[in-house]
Amino acid sequence: MVKKQLQKKKPAARPKPEPAAASAADLDLKKIMEVLGKTDVCEFEYSRGDMHIVLKKEPVSVILGETETAQTESGPAEKNLPVLDEKACAQTCVKTLKSPAVGIFHISDGNTLIASVGKKIKKGQRIGWVNSMGINQEIMAEKNSKITAILCKDREVVEWGQKLFEIEENNV
Amino acid sequence: MVKKQLQKKKPAARPKPEPAAASAADLDLKKIMEVLGKTDVCEFEYSRGDMHIVLKKEPVSVILGETETAQTESGPAEKNLPVLDEKACAQTCVKTLKSPAVGIFHISDGNTLIASVGKKIKKGQRIGWVNSMGINQEIMAEKNSKITAILCKDREVVEWGQKLFEIEENNV
Amino acid sequence: MFKKVLVANRGEIALRVIRALREMSVKSVAVCSEADKNNFYCGLADDCICIGPAPAASSYLNISQIISAALVKKCDAVHPGYGFLAENPHFAEICSSYGLSFIGPSPETIALAGQKAEIIDLVKRKKIPVIPGSKGVVANAAEAKKIAAGIKYPVIIKATAGGGGKGMRIVRSEKDIEQAFELAGTEAKNAFSDSGLYVEKYIESPRHIEIQVAADKKGKVVFFPERDCSIQRNHQKVLEEGPSPQINSNLRKKLGETACRVAKLINYTSVGTVEFLVSKDDFYFMEMNARIQVEHPVTELVSDIDLVKMQIALAAGEELKLRQDDIKEICHSVECRINSEDENYTPSAGTLEKLILPGGPGVRVDTAMTSGAEISPFYDSMIAKIITYGRNRTEAIMRMQRALMEIKIEGVTTNIKLHQKILKNENFIKGCYTTDFIGDMK
Amino acid sequence: MFKKVLVANRGEIALRVIRALREMSVKSVAVCSEADKNNFYCGLADDCICIGPAPAASSYLNISQIISAALVKKCDAVHPGYGFLAENPHFAEICSSYGLSFIGPSPETIALAGQKAEIIDLVKRKKIPVIPGSKGVVANAAEAKKIAAGIKYPVIIKATAGGGGKGMRIVRSEKDIEQAFELAGTEAKNAFSDSGLYVEKYIESPRHIEIQVAADKKGKVVFFPERDCSIQRNHQKVLEEGPSPQINSNLRKKLGETACRVAKLINYTSVGTVEFLVSKDDFYFMEMNARIQVEHPVTELVSDIDLVKMQIALAAGEELKLRQDDIKEICHSVECRINSEDENYTPSAGTLEKLILPGGPGVRVDTAMTSGAEISPFYDSMIAKIITYGRNRTEAIMRMQRALMEIKIEGVTTNIKLHQKILKNENFIKGCYTTDFIGDMK
């Protein structure tokens, strides 16, 4: 009875039943609206009995695949890897690198900035770190990438999961 | 920007801005859903920018005009007239006669019922009364009509505004 | 005890009475206008009946519908709350003529308490201090001038039927008195259909102190620790506290005993409030309010006594079990009236899109509102009463500051910022304030 | 006094601590997991920091993230609430090694209070009555059998590291003891990574009575009127009240003085609770809880003393200003824990589509929930604590019945009906009940 077109889906921190699907038998329009507002779903069409609904948003230019942030699930602090939001696509992939710990964010070695917007970085190259109780947790890319945004200032207090960098991974 | 088709509107006790119109500039989908659920609006279509919504319900068979219950506004208790909901149409008009007072509803004179479903009644003919503190407030039709439903039992306690009769007024 | 009580009011005080009845295992019947039909609190009564359309004149002030509701629902008593019909002696009389107990004092007592000039005259004869002024109604401006010359300026002109600042004028010199008298008369006529005025000495920077009393039908009267209601705007109470930070135990006892004398004088047989103006250690009787008041929770918290349950029990003929010595000041309490108001302090109607109320230790909330409820333009715009208490005044105030921070109201503007300003004011914190406080704060 | 305190917990107890800090003008920093980020109460702290993903092991139990949060936010103290790290002596020690005051007793005291067999042995040597049984850990089933023969059946086998009924077995005759011992050991091993068991006399139909104490660093200890926590289901408290309807003033004083002796014995320096089993006029020390408890509001209402503020002041080194005589039973109080549970009393998660909480006189609500909030499957499923008080037990119970009727919860099922059943039970109303109450009620 339900016809839906989910062109992309935001990665969820922990897997949950997809709201529209979960409530298919007893469609809650309010919830769908909320989902539409919060996610990147672009189009929603629904018919049942005497009711017919079409909801559309213009699709954004970059079409992204469905991914999961496995890092969040498996405990990033222990693995000492940054938490990240991944958005896959054909050639490049935009990722957000997040803080793996509560601490102080560093992006400079003494007086030299080790990262800047536009800078190309190699897989495993350190581009910053979070000092948490004296231990430096390094922030690095898993693939060759380009830094497209730096979202925190040097020596800023950061919380767990705070967005630090936006990078574009090179997949070719 | 807003295109709406309101085929009928439920009479409101006191005039209020029509919800969908009031929030046109800043469309609140949740509210529209609520309005759709509560009212008899049959179809709703909305386009703005990147969004397009169509909401439809099957129209009910009887198409009714828009009216206001002026009686409610002008103080029915003082005028000693029943409060009524009016739904105008071409040949007959369905009205609900409501209690003008808190009291005991009567529909029988001694042991004889003075009103029954299907009975044709004349303008001004008493079809029941509400006894409020010893005073009988008579219920009557303003035009020649037919009783289509009796909504309270004889000697039932009724509140102000409680629905007593549904009648079909003859307009020809 | 009563079997079933009609609650002839709306909003928070209706809910307050419903709660008291529920705790006494007495059935309650709420009345509502068409506008209040879907309000949450109506569903908390055992039964609810619609008595008319939204305008109060056709519903909450419609005596015949209310009496009819009490009769058809087989109630044996009626609680009038405050406002609406609470101080209408005719309503009290009609109730009793239909065999319904009116939960309040007798019609005669209500009538006497409502005639301000008469009651002042009465207590004055018993040597209870009153503000020097006219004996009863002043016929004309010339007579007003003569009286003013005797008691000396400044004087205040007030409506005998008045309340809420209507028909009230402060006059500081003889040249202004004629015009002020005419204006006050017109205002009183418009507001109360009664242009009767009286003139009295205007007490500069007084405190508004009121004493809660309770009296049974055998003539026993007790008093409670005072409430300080000096924080007013346009003669409307904004924030109340008890006990007053400005009253010592000696004056407290004197005020309390005087209040009991007033109650006895007018054969008071319910809970009620005697209002005084206090200037340094002098006090003057102002009036007696023959009903439960908005700010009664302050006293309930200070003394840990449920005044509404007591009021109902007294109306049912129970004797006062409390002795004066049983009434103690257990804690300090502050009440803030949270109103829906615009930036000019004008009441405003609207929908409470969101309402999150404070909780936790020392916080009591009295409200009939919930998220999504309407502040109707037909009735007063109070959203909630927040009442806090603490072991001392500082704790009560800190808790109020904390509680106000927790409130989230969306959809209407409120007077919360005004309360926060008051609570942070140095003079308020010191406990040094008079009825001029809000005016001086600006 | 502290300048800024990290609140290392979540939900209602985090909000309770934030409220206390706010009332003391101490800044607060809330910590939250990713799942709690949008919760209303986090915004009521002065600052809030996310410390990890939803599972408690990665957030509320993640010591390094919590300490790091306290350090980067420049806090000078940490409040552990209850549960999570509240009774973890290592956490208390780590706090102090980083210069953070731990708001609770010393790590040594926490460690001692946590070792049930050791503390029982300690108090027994001081002639404080304990339930007859093993001295410390029992090595094997054969030794258990020997002890049981000495103290006579029925006996109960308990985990030394236990709590919440895990690793617990009642044994009524010798033939069952071997199997029960093995099962309890396995259960304890699984639940607490510690298979240590002890054996004691099983007291039939006892009452669970606990005494709140407060102690300062100079060794002064005071006690509060008891709480009766006998209404339990599966060894989980459901409804608490204070004072107990089953304790006379003589026994109250004995229990209080004994609790103070226990607190002194283990150098207790905070607020804490000493638990007793009471059977007729005999009482037995069970354990000491080295933290603030869920049901602390009962005592706060009974005595009108804010225990959380007191706890914070004591941790900051303040001396107890209260004398034992200052602590009075001002009123009677009842607490109902409203949980999200299905019809089998199993905790259930979900969205609170609607939440309307009770208010008015004599009702306190402690909750971190609002309409639209999530009951997360990662944490406990308590929605709110409703605490009522009255001048006497009847008033407190009537108010609770009234308050429970006012609650509207949509989206999840709750245990409100169970509470209503308890409150209407004849034996409960008479005040005659033991820990068997809920089992017998069915």
Side-chain angles (χ1 to χ4, degrees), chain C residues 125-188:
Chain C
R125 273 185 269 132
K126 296 291 175 179
K127 310 279 183 222
I128 291 169
V130 298
I131 298 163
S134 65
K135 282 197 180 183
V137 177
V138 175
N140 50 45
E143 197 189 322
K145 195 183 281 185
K146 204 195 282 175
I147 293 163
I151 60 179
K152 293 199 175 63
Y153 289 90
V155 300
I156 186 164
I157 301 168
K158 285 184 182 175
T160 52
K166 294 237 169 71
M168 202 182 269
R169 283 289 181 290
I170 298 161
V171 186
R172 295 194 178 273
S173 71
E174 198 172 55
K175 70 175 167 46
D176 300 326
I177 196 160
E178 280 177 37
Q179 197 195 356
F181 193 86
E182 302 309 326
L183 285 171
T186 310
E187 217 172 276

Side-chain angles (χ1 to χ4, degrees), chain A residues 13-14 101-102 132-133 159-160, chain D residues 37 50 52 64-65 68 98 378:
Chain A
R14 57 192 168 92
V102 172
S132 181
M133 296 182 70
E159 62 182 6
W160 180 90
Chain D
K37 250 188 146 168
C50 180
S64 63
Q65 293 307 300
S68 183
Y98 278 91
F378 291 102

Side-chain angles (χ1 to χ4, degrees), chain C residues 358-364 402 406, chain D residues 16 19 363-367:
Chain C
V363 177
R364 168 174 167 183
R402 186 270 288 173
E406 294 181 13
Chain D
R16 175 69 191 87
R19 283 171 167 158
V363 177
R364 167 174 168 184
V365 179
D366 274 34
T367 183

Side-chain angles (χ1 to χ4, degrees), chain C residues 69-102:
Chain C
L71 297 177
V72 298
K73 291 295 184 185
K74 303 196 191 314
C75 296
D76 47 7
V78 174
H79 195 299
Y82 54 67
F84 295 131
L85 298 167
E87 286 165 291
N88 182 325
H90 308 296
F91 179 62
E93 189 133 28
I94 293 167
C95 281
S96 96
S97 75
Y98 277 92
L100 298 161
S101 296
F102 176 85

Side-chain angles (χ1 to χ4, degrees), chain B residues 104-108 114 127-131 136 153-155:
Chain B
I104 309 287
F105 175 61
H106 290 267
I107 200 178
S108 77
I114 62 168
I127 54 172
W129 68 94
V130 172
N131 184 301
N136 289 342
K153 290 195 203 95
D154 191 36
R155 288 164 210 280

Side-chain angles (χ1 to χ4, degrees), chain D residues 362-379:
Chain D
V363 177
R364 167 174 168 184
V365 179
D366 274 34
T367 183
M369 295 288 167
T370 55
S371 279
E374 295 275 336
I375 309 282
S376 167
F378 291 102
Y379 317 115

